[in-house]
Structures are given as C-alpha cells and as structure tokens.
Amino acid sequence: MRYQATLTVNGIPYPVEVEATASLLRVVRDVIGLTGSKEGCDDSECGACMMLLDGRPVNSCSYLALQADGREITTVEGLAPGDGLAPLQQALLEAGGVQCGYCTPGMLISATALLSSNPRPSEDEVRVALAGNLCRCTGYTNIVSAVLRASEGHPAGTPG
Amino acid sequence: MSTFVQATTVAEAVGAMSGGARPVAGGTDLVVGARQGKAPLPESIVAIDRLDPLRGIELSGGRLRLGALVTHAEIVAHPGVLEGFTALADASAIVGSHATRVHGTIGGNVMNASPAMETGGPLLCFDASATLESVAGSRQLAVAELLAGPGETTARADELLTAIEVPALPGAGSCYARLEYRRQMEIAVVGATAVIVLDGGLVTDARIAITALAPTIRRVAEAEEALRGTDGGRAAAEAAAEAAAAASAPISDVRASADYRRAMAAVIARRAIEAAVARARGENVPVPASPALHGAV
C-alpha cells in the first residue's frame, strides 16, 4: 500500500507517496532524484548509502522511508555550502582519499557525524568511526588522513 | 501489499500487533534481515520509534530500567551503566557501526534473539527481566526465559517488549568480550560475559555466560562454580574458561567451524573473566573491552 509522507532532504521538504516497505535510499534516489547516496550491499554492511537522520548517521538502504516522515535528512549533496566544498570534501580531495568514489558519500557522512560530536578525534577514533564504511580502492589511509586534516586544530586543517 | 502504521501510543501499537502487525524501531534487524533475504518484510508493520514511554534509562532503587527504545549509543554514554553494568556497555559499544548504535535499540536486540547478539550475555548475567505488553495486559519474565532459540523468543506475536529491568549488583566488576573478524558491522564469532564480585580478595559471586556457542546464549553453572571461593587469578580463570568451553555446543557456519569456536571459547571466556576481575579490583579496563583485549595472551 502507498502512503503519503514529507521527507525533508537538505532543508527542502519533498511530499512523496511511497510503499510501506520502500527504503529511504530508494525514495531519495528514485523518487526525489538525489543520487549522491549509493547502493552498495543493500543490507547495511558497506555504508555507501549513509545519510544523516536528524543529524545521526543511518544506513538508508535498511531504513523505511515512512519512518523518516517529518525528520531532517542530510545527504552528501547537502554537506557543501553553496557551490563550494565542505572542508571535509576539500581535505578528501587534497589527501587523495577518492579513487572510484563509490564509498565517498558514505565516508563523508560518517566523518561529518564524527567531527560534529568530536571535533578533535584521534586517528584511532577516526578509524573506529569509519569502520562501518567499506572502501575497496584506497586502502583507507588517505581517507583517515583527510578526516584528521579536516579536524579542528590540525595544522593543515580548516575548522570543520 | 504491506501496510504501515506509525504508532503514537503504546495502546495503538499493541492494538496493531493484536491484528498481526510486527513492530519496527531502528530497522537494523528487521529491515536488514529482509534485505539479506532472511525473511521478507512483514505484511503489516507498526513503527514504534516515536513512543516516548519506551525511551529513557533510569537508575534508581538499585535497579536499571532501560526502555525498549533505548539505543546502544545511549547505553554506552550512560555513566551509571559504565560504572555498574560495564559488561552491557562493552556489548552495546561494539554492536554494528555507529549508524547501527544510534538507531538500533536494546528492545530490538533482545527480541531478535540471535544466539550471537552482544547484549544477551550481560543481561543474563545481571538477571535482567523483560516487560511484555499486549492488549490483554502486561507481564514480566526473566530474559533467560524469554530467549528460546535462534531467532525465537517465548513472547507471543502480539506482545510488545516495552522495557528491560536489570537489578544492580553492588561492587561487581563485569566484562563482555568477543572474537571478531572486523571491528564494526560484526557480530560475535564467539563471545563471553563475566560478572565477578570480590570480598577480601576472594570471589564471592561469579556469573559466566557464553555467546554464539549454543542455540541460545546461556549461563554456565560449572564455570561459575569453578570461580567461587578462588582469588580470581589466572589459574582459576583458566579452569572456569575451560568449563565454559566444555559447556558449549557450537555449530559450523560461514563464520567459523565448530572446532574453532570451541577452541576459542576458552580463550575469550578467560579474557572476559580476567577483565571482570580486574574491574572488580578497581583497575581500569577500557570500554569496550573488545578490541582492547586483543593481543592479550
């Protein structure tokens, strides 16, 4: 059965009509048309679909869209101010933390959630925070170093 | 054609369940299970994630009350849990990834009834009980009586878990440790819980549970007996851990062979016991104990 809901994505409310079993990822990608969030495993192993729900990371492939009705959703498209890049995105480019790019949206969401609750993480804290996001190309080192660069107080970083 | 209702009251939720609906909170088991092909999503879904009476951690009168919607992240952040129910914090701290821990609930973890779930051992060792509600009323039963087998509980399909209550055990040191292949998005290959009370340097109370080693998580009386009256040192911990391994009945699956699980049971149980004894002595063992205990010999 289809139900009406309002999904607020990156500050914009989208009235949608969705099946009871539709995932948040499906609706954001196929109905709303924001395709930055990726489907990797589709069962919560890889983190490529990660979004923020009321500021907290969620594997959107495994979250019912209807449960997000009325809540604030942030996708990778919502991280950058205007046409620029968020400090984390800039750091990821500079550190060479992007290869095929498929895991990048989820990595950025995880790292954003980490830095908002812990602006000065240790390397180990970064690794734990990103451990739910699989990358099959870079070997993680450059991604971890990018998050450290973007963290508060880092010599090469910009306050995030 | 599935139906969906967002419950706004507990009465509405149990009403929907009496009509056959299945509850969903964080979706980290039910929806993930459907995606993995374990079981299709139910025909009728009732979302319970906005039921405020099911929220909140209260610690008073020697009892810890966890609303069914309390998340793993909330458990790990609670000073009273870290202090008095450390094994539970060890367990919740390693459930899934950070995305799982902010949405996944203690209620869902318990009712999913996986023999490999992290929080079950600590709840059994602390003698936790569960409150189940239905249109017929409410009842309380021990978590040990609730867990019936892999993915099975003794709750009726129309009963909603609303809270878990855990009696405090003053002075106890406790630890949950697991063998894991990956630091996050992992579930125990083998797990063990130890809760230890020391008096005058001797073990006066010991509770040991094994995880992912039998159809349900279970306490091991022989291991507990092996520790009582000892100094909780290496020899006693080894003897108790051997008893825990001997009581295991593991399966072979994609994650480990039964032989490997049995061999590791003694190692992981000993690590949990030694960390619980150290905590009972007031020594600092970081939470989560896994993976801090990795590399321990």
Side-chain angles (χ1 to χ4, degrees):
Chain A
M1 208 168 138
R2 293 173 84 81
Y3 296 86
Q4 303 208 325
T6 300
L7 299 188
T8 302
V9 186
N10 304 327
I12 302 170
Y14 296 90
V16 291
E17 199 180 278
V18 297
E19 289 290 340
T21 53
S23 73
L24 180 57
L25 178 66
R26 279 276 138 249
V27 174
V28 169
R29 283 182 60 90
D30 299 349
V31 180
I32 294 174
L34 292 171
T35 55
S37 310
K38 304 305 182 200
E39 180 185 304
C41 63
D42 203 25
D43 68 5
S44 263
E45 292 284 335
C46 78
C49 66
M50 217 172 259
M51 303 176 185
L52 297 177
L53 185 64
D54 288 339
R56 300 180 306 177
V58 65
N59 285 313
S60 65
C61 73
S62 306
Y63 200 80
L64 298 177
L66 289 171
Q67 286 188 276
D69 185 20
R71 298 191 163 168
E72 296 282 336
I73 299 151
T74 306
T75 66
V76 68
E77 291 95 338
L79 296 182
D83 289 335
L85 292 177
L88 256 172
Q89 293 172 308
Q90 188 64 41
L92 208 59
L93 283 181
E94 287 170 6
V98 180
Q99 203 163 325
C100 87
Y102 207 79
C103 73
T104 310
M107 288 285 181
L108 283 165
I109 293 289
S110 267
T112 299
L114 169 69
L115 294 185
S116 70
S117 65
N118 180 2
R120 308 179 78 132
S122 66
E123 181 180 335
D124 196 53
E125 286 170 329
V126 173
R127 287 186 179 275
V128 169
L130 298 184
N133 297 85
L134 293 180
C135 169
R136 299 289 83 162
C137 327
T138 71
Y140 302 101
T141 302
N142 292 349
I143 299 173
V144 171
S145 100
V147 177
L148 289 169
R149 281 163 83 120
S151 64
E152 209 172 87
H154 189 276
T158 331
Chain B
M1 195 61 76
S2 292
T3 61
F4 177 92
V5 59
Q6 179 83 57
T8 53
T9 64
V10 174
E12 195 184 344
V14 296
M17 289 176 70
S18 74
R22 295 260 333 261
V24 62
T28 58
D29 277 318
L30 187 72
V31 185
V32 172
R35 297 278 176 261
Q36 290 173 336
K38 281 182 191 161
L41 277 172
E43 283 294 299
S44 174
I45 300 167
V46 55
I48 58 167
D49 55 294
R50 299 184 193 193
L51 297 179
D52 286 335
L54 270 53
R55 279 185 214 296
I57 301 180
E58 290 162 32
L59 182 55
S60 64
R63 293 186 81 77
L64 178 72
R65 182 192 179 276
L66 305 165
L69 290 179
V70 166
T71 65
H72 297 289
E74 290 171 324
I75 288 172
V76 179
H78 195 277
V81 175
L82 285 164
E83 171 72 26
F85 306 88
T86 320
L88 184 59
D90 284 331
S92 283
I94 54 175
V95 171
S97 73
H98 62 150
T100 320
R101 292 190 290 274
V102 294
H103 298 286
T105 64
I106 186 75
N109 203 206
V110 168
M111 295 306 284
N112 191 52
S114 165
M117 67 142 154
E118 318 299 346
T119 62
L123 292 178
L124 286 193
C125 286
F126 279 110
D127 288 332
S129 60
T131 304
L132 300 171
E133 286 194 31
S134 70
V135 289
S138 137
R139 66 177 174 130
Q140 209 164 15
L141 78 168
V143 171
E145 290 163 26
L146 182 64
L147 302 176
E152 283 175 30
T153 71
T154 56
R156 298 191 313 267
D158 67 336
E159 286 182 308
L160 176 68
L161 176 75
T162 54
I164 302 278
E165 282 202 29
V166 199
L169 190 59
S174 66
C175 176
Y176 172 74
R178 77 176 177 195
L179 176 67
E180 59 199 0
Y181 298 141
R182 184 182 169 192
R183 280 180 75 173
Q184 309 266 300
M185 294 318 295
E186 179 64 303
I187 192 164
V189 180
V190 165
T193 308
V195 176
I196 302 287
V197 179
L198 294 173
D199 189 3
L202 295 179
V203 175
T204 55
D205 194 350
R207 301 159 185 202
I208 308 294
I210 53 176
T211 298
L213 284 163
T216 62
I217 295 166
R218 59 167 69 146
R219 293 266 297 267
V220 182
E222 297 83 354
E224 299 175 352
E225 193 52 44
L227 277 165
R228 267 186 221 107
T230 73
D231 62 358
R234 174 84 180 203
E238 276 181 359
E242 290 298 336
S248 68
I251 57 165
S252 291
D253 64 10
V254 65
R255 314 188 63 243
S257 68
D259 284 348
Y260 182 58
R261 281 199 165 96
R262 204 173 289 111
M264 290 304 100
V267 176
I268 297 298
R270 177 176 50 74
R271 288 182 189 173
I273 292 164
E274 289 190 312
V277 169
R279 283 171 172 165
R281 288 181 183 138
E283 294 165 22
N284 180 44
V285 178
V287 172
S290 292
L293 296 180
H294 288 355
V297 287

